[in-house]
Amino acid sequence: MELKLETVTTATKDFRALVEDLDLALSGPYADDQHHALSLDELFAPNVTMFVAKLEGGVMAGCGGIALYDGYAEVKRMYTSPAARGRGVAKALLTRIEDCARVSGASWLRLETGIYQTEAMALYERFGFTRCEPFGLYLEKLPHT
């Protein structure tokens, strides 16, 4: 299987479709106040680098990115299309993101994912991620009581 990773610098039609599929997949089980995803515009901010994984024929099979913040990096918008799952797409993307975090000098690579994303959580745990309390901007989004 040929798998090619590329940096995305603009929201092409294919990239938009992939992100729309991701948004649709996340829309069902979560309340509106539980959606913390970066917008398409935010995915191309100076501190964010996005990647796509392409299969044979240039078909976009997945995406993922890294955002650099003060003191840490964060995995952003990881997604593999259902038809491409089980083909190493997410592993390749996450490996590229980890490499970018290392090169950037980030002390930590963090991520936020939903409790219903069990396959994603299993992948992240295989890569050595551990569960933690809310961090960074997610702290600001917690309900205040």
Side-chain angles (χ1 to χ4, degrees):
M1 173 194 75
E2 180 185 334
L3 179 64
K4 184 177 180 183
L5 298 182
E6 297 177 358
T7 302
V8 181
T9 57
T10 60
T12 65
K13 181 181 175 183
D14 289 343
F15 181 76
R16 285 177 186 272
L18 200 60
V19 172
E20 287 171 7
D21 289 349
L22 168 58
D23 289 341
L24 184 61
L26 297 177
S27 66
Y30 302 102
D32 287 344
D33 66 342
Q34 295 174 316
H35 291 263
H36 307 299
L38 294 179
S39 70
L40 270 174
D41 289 338
E42 292 171 316
L43 293 179
F44 299 102
N47 68 314
V48 180
T49 303
M50 289 300 299
F51 304 101
V52 291
K54 293 183 177 182
L55 298 175
E56 301 86 6
V59 175
M60 283 194 190
C63 62
I66 182 171
L68 301 175
Y69 298 108
D70 188 27
Y72 69 96
E74 184 179 353
V75 176
K76 292 293 190 184
R77 305 298 266 160
M78 281 283 297
Y79 179 69
T80 301
S81 65
R85 292 185 184 157
R87 298 175 76 177
V89 172
K91 290 177 187 176
L93 285 164
L94 194 51
T95 298
R96 173 70 58 88
I97 291 165
E98 284 185 330
D99 290 345
C100 287
R102 251 183 239 99
V103 168
S104 77
S107 301
W108 293 93
L109 178 60
R110 296 178 164 181
L111 62 90
E112 189 275 339
T113 194
I115 61 171
Y116 302 112
Q117 307 317 115
T118 55
E119 291 175 352
M121 288 189 291
L123 171 72
Y124 299 139
E125 288 172 357
R126 284 193 304 273
F127 267 72
F129 287 86
T130 57
R131 294 179 190 219
C132 67
E133 296 298 319
F135 60 90
L137 298 174
Y138 304 105
L139 289 171
E140 299 170 15
K141 296 177 181 184
L142 288 175
H144 299 286
T145 55

